[in-house]
Amino acid sequence: NAGVTQTPKFRILKIGQSMTLQCTQDMNHNYMYWYRQDPGMGLKLIYYSVGAGITDKGEVPNGYNVSRSTTEDFPLRLELAAPSQTSVYFCASSYSSKGNTEAFFGQGTRLTVV
Amino acid sequence: TQLLEQSPQFLSIQEGENLTVYCNSSSVFSSLQWYRQEPGEGPVLLVTVVTGGEVKKLKRLTFQFGDARKDSSLHITAAQPGDTGLYLCAGHTLYNFNKFYFGSGTKLNVKP
């Protein structure tokens, strides 16, 4: 049971570099989300998608981009990395947005920008 | 500021004590969920409360959804070291069903 898979698990970037965080799910979920979590804090929504070809901004979208070309994949792109983007990034998916639907999470990507 | 504010932010207690964690918002939620997160892992769902005033029990954990559906609480009876972790509330608001918001988190440490 793969569930939600994120790669890489760890990454160190230099300021100004770019990278793509990969996220794939094998549960045929329509809804996918990207969050960032700073140490000891809650999760802040970066972007979300309600299905292939549809994405929208969350609470903290600046500095990030996403695409959703397939149901399975939801990559997060950082174009010009900044120290403020040092964080742990979580991808999640759910079957629907109805309240009693569980969100499943990947293991996270720990990103450090130096 | 976050849409869902949790209190307290940190809680350190002795094994056997009781505790309550609060999750508050100025927005109405269609439902609220509680997750628990271990270090280095993603959050895992504990419970979902859907109806205003609803109370759900999960062994020593009791969850309540406020009547106005703007707040929720998590009460743990006789806490154990295995309860240690980060507790997060989360939900969808009524005005934007598709966004899934998380609370600011409560870090619980239960000392043996």
Side-chain angles (χ1 to χ4, degrees):
Chain A
N1 293 344
V4 179
T5 303
Q6 290 183 236
T7 56
K9 287 188 167 49
F10 304 92
R11 184 72 186 268
I12 298 175
L13 275 184
K14 292 186 177 177
I15 294 172
Q17 285 186 323
S18 61
M19 78 164 292
T20 299
L21 283 67
Q22 301 291 346
C23 175
T24 187
Q25 53 93 7
D26 61 0
M27 297 173 282
N28 201 31
H29 285 170
N30 288 322
Y31 290 77
M32 295 188 76
Y33 310 88
W34 272 107
Y35 296 91
R36 60 173 289 172
Q37 184 176 35
D38 297 326
M41 305 296 286
L43 282 72
K44 293 191 176 179
L45 182 63
I46 305 172
Y47 270 94
Y48 67 99
S49 169
V50 302
I54 307 170
T55 63
D56 207 346
K57 295 177 181 179
E59 301 168 278
V60 290
N62 291 345
Y64 308 94
N65 276 302
V66 294
S67 59
R68 184 94 183 269
S69 56
T70 66
T71 300
E72 294 78 19
D73 300 307
F74 190 40
L76 177 72
R77 178 90 178 152
L78 282 72
E79 289 295 347
L80 289 170
S84 61
Q85 293 178 305
T86 294
S87 191
V88 180
Y89 291 83
F90 285 99
C91 177
S93 73
S94 65
Y95 178 69
S96 79
S97 68
K98 295 218 185 293
N100 56 357
T101 302
E102 179 176 359
F104 294 86
F105 285 81
Q107 297 272 8
T109 296
R110 186 176 296 274
L111 175 67
T112 302
V113 182
V114 296
Chain B
T1 57
Q2 295 207 216
L3 195 62
L4 286 164
E5 290 290 341
Q6 288 182 233
S7 61
Q9 189 176 0
F10 300 99
L11 198 51
S12 184
I13 61 172
Q14 291 294 139
E15 181 176 1
E17 291 183 4
N18 301 332
L19 66 115
T20 302
V21 177
Y22 300 93
C23 173
N24 294 289
S25 179
S26 57
S27 297
V28 178
F29 281 76
S30 60
S31 65
L32 274 177
Q33 297 182 326
W34 284 91
Y35 288 76
R36 181 163 164 258
Q37 185 180 20
E38 304 268 9
E41 302 286 332
V44 176
L45 180 67
L46 292 173
V47 80
T48 303
V49 283
V50 180
T51 308
E54 181 177 3
V55 176
K56 276 192 176 178
K57 293 196 174 190
L58 190 68
K59 296 183 181 177
R60 294 177 293 101
L61 279 60
T62 302
F63 304 85
Q64 184 161 9
F65 200 12
D67 291 339
R69 291 156 72 183
K70 292 183 178 182
D71 57 271
S72 180
S73 64
L74 156 60
H75 182 80
I76 301 179
T77 304
Q80 298 176 2
D83 295 327
T84 293
L86 182 67
Y87 289 82
L88 298 156
C89 61
H92 299 270
T93 64
L94 282 184
Y95 64 84
N96 190 330
F97 237 62
N98 296 321
K99 287 186 177 179
F100 190 43
Y101 294 99
F102 273 80
S104 46
T106 295
K107 193 165 186 178
L108 172 65
N109 180 36
V110 182
K111 295 175 282 189

